[in-house]
Amino acid sequence: AKFSFGKTTVDFEKYECFKGNENIVLTTLEFDLLKYLIDNKGKVVNRIQIMNEVWGPDIFVAPRTIDTHILNLRKKIEDDPSKPGWIIGIRGRGYKFLSP
């Protein structure tokens, strides 16, 4: 299952990510987080939903931990992480992946 946006292509079956011709190394957790956001593209997902779906309902993760993982993912996939074009934060609500 491949998904492309901008210059980035992600293959979730092979756990591969490329930005143009450059291989981007994502952790397993970053792949899972990105897949969850893409599977819900266009929808706002809150931190509790992300925590339950990516980490699992039995694991407690501090909200700031999720923010840190989002930030790390942005650094790897966004053209300009300070002005994200794909993973958008919705103040007081959560995050949204914009459809390409």
Side-chain angles (χ1 to χ4, degrees):
K2 286 186 182 180
F3 187 82
S4 295
F5 53 97
K7 300 173 191 166
T8 305
T9 301
V10 186
D11 187 328
F12 291 105
E13 290 175 3
K14 294 181 178 178
Y15 281 82
E16 292 178 344
C17 181
F18 289 91
K19 191 170 181 182
N21 293 326
E22 181 186 356
N23 183 19
I24 304 297
V25 178
L26 300 180
T27 66
T28 302
L29 193 62
E30 288 169 340
F31 270 106
D32 293 345
L33 177 57
L34 183 57
K35 183 163 186 352
Y36 180 70
L37 291 170
I38 289 171
D39 285 347
N40 290 281
K41 64 183 174 283
K43 298 178 195 168
V44 177
V45 290
N46 64 41
R47 288 175 184 86
I48 304 251
Q49 291 169 303
I50 293 170
M51 186 171 48
N52 287 337
E53 295 298 322
V54 177
W55 276 263
D58 299 329
I59 298 174
F60 177 77
V61 180
R64 288 289 156 216
T65 301
I66 293 168
D67 297 342
T68 300
H69 283 280
I70 293 281
L71 183 64
N72 291 339
L73 194 51
R74 282 178 174 160
K75 287 178 184 175
K76 294 179 179 183
I77 66 167
E78 296 281 0
D79 290 334
D80 181 354
S82 67
K83 296 176 186 164
W86 299 109
I87 301 174
I88 306 299
I90 308 298
R91 185 177 292 271
R93 294 286 175 238
Y95 293 97
K96 174 167 69 170
F97 188 90
L98 298 180
S99 297

